[in-house]
Amino acid sequence: MNPFTYVRAANSNEAIATVSRESQAMFIAGGTNMLDLMKEGVHTPSQLVDIRKLPSTEIVTKDGGIRIGAAARNSDVAYNSIVQERYAVLSEAILAGASAQLRNMATVGGNLMQRTRCPYFHDIAFACNKRQPGSGCAALQGFNRMHAVLGTSDRCIAAHPSDMCVALVALDAVVQTQGATGERSIPISDFHLLPGDTPHLETVLEHGEIITAVDLPAMPFAWRSHYLKVRDRASYAFALVSAAVVLEIDGEVIRNARIALGGVGTKPWRSLEAEEVLVSAPATEETFAAAANAAMREARPYRHNQFKIELAKRTLEEALKTVAAMSGGQA
């Protein structure tokens, strides 16, 4: 691990100014992803600026929805009564990820910024355009069972690892940030970038910009939601595929739908195609199958991950059936 300096900023403005001055300076909060990357030599910061106590840790109601402070621990969000009652899919997604120990350390802001678990990215002996632009992508011809089938390019096929972000995409979350030029509100669907020709650029954040909060808008029907994750073992494993489903059903007809997929995309994947099939259609298995087919229509498999297409369809169908069968909740 390369030598670096460590400072604890007194306030957000100081933290932003400190990181902005050095191209290799980085923020650190919970550190659950950062420290691994530093040990592997993937991240070699010149300076770490501790921001754990700068953004809020509060989870409060706002404009009919809720605001989650960027420093809120994942476990606190998952077990928050408002989240569990109004946005069940988010609680389920967080609890499906990592371990209890990591959830007690990881922050919401850090989860938004976590990097891929592609083994070729984590091993500096291999070519990786995400780690070293222009070096190539070893995953294209390597063992790519865990890699993406949606949103890929000839420069990168790494899957996005987050469970939480998949639920946030389904809930139309908005990311609040603060940087050298002021504050921004960024829709979660615009926050993460497709790899294209620049896979090393993963989010729209500027250097020195920090996440301050995440807003979940009022969504009265979001109680009827579910996160389904399929993985190689029962716990502490990343998704092969996952589905976040939110439905508004009036009688037998779907009036509103939010669909997001994990494990299959280079970013948390919102499926507008599936939503288009679902809205105004009857809540039947035939509709769900059609939505699943639409969701994966543009999928591009590689040598070892073709199975993900059918698995993703079945996972989405099962999640849709689970949500459609729910009763009660909020009016």
Side-chain angles (χ1 to χ4, degrees), residues 11 28 47 92 111 113 124 129 138 162 167 178 217 251 260 262 279 281 299 306 312-314 330:
N11 54 60
I28 186 169
Q47 187 174 54
E92 293 175 357
N111 196 314
M113 294 299 293
I124 60 175
N129 289 317
S162 176
Q178 180 184 352
V279 173
Q306 188 167 1
K313 292 179 183 179
R314 295 186 182 189
Q330 301 175 359

Side-chain angles (χ1 to χ4, degrees), residues 232-279:
D232 284 325
R233 56 179 185 270
S235 66
Y236 202 50
F238 293 100
L240 291 169
V241 302
S242 66
V245 172
V246 185
L247 295 179
E248 179 183 15
I249 300 178
D250 181 11
E252 298 298 323
V253 178
I254 300 167
R255 298 301 182 191
N256 220 321
R258 299 288 189 278
I259 304 297
L261 301 172
V264 293
T266 53
K267 59 183 279 187
W269 199 262
R270 176 77 174 268
S271 181
L272 299 176
E273 298 84 356
E275 293 173 12
E276 185 177 354
V277 171
L278 291 166
V279 173

Side-chain angles (χ1 to χ4, degrees), residues 303-321:
R303 182 179 179 185
H304 302 104
N305 68 359
Q306 188 167 1
F307 73 96
K308 280 194 174 189
I309 296 177
E310 185 61 30
L311 183 59
K313 292 179 183 179
R314 295 186 182 189
T315 301
L316 178 53
E317 287 181 57
E318 187 63 29
L320 285 164
K321 286 189 285 186

Side-chain angles (χ1 to χ4, degrees), residues 27-32 34 49-52 70-71 73 105 107 109-110:
F27 298 118
I28 186 169
T32 55
M34 172 72 76
V49 179
D50 190 334
I51 60 170
R52 282 177 292 177
R73 304 297 179 187
M105 284 297 296
T107 64

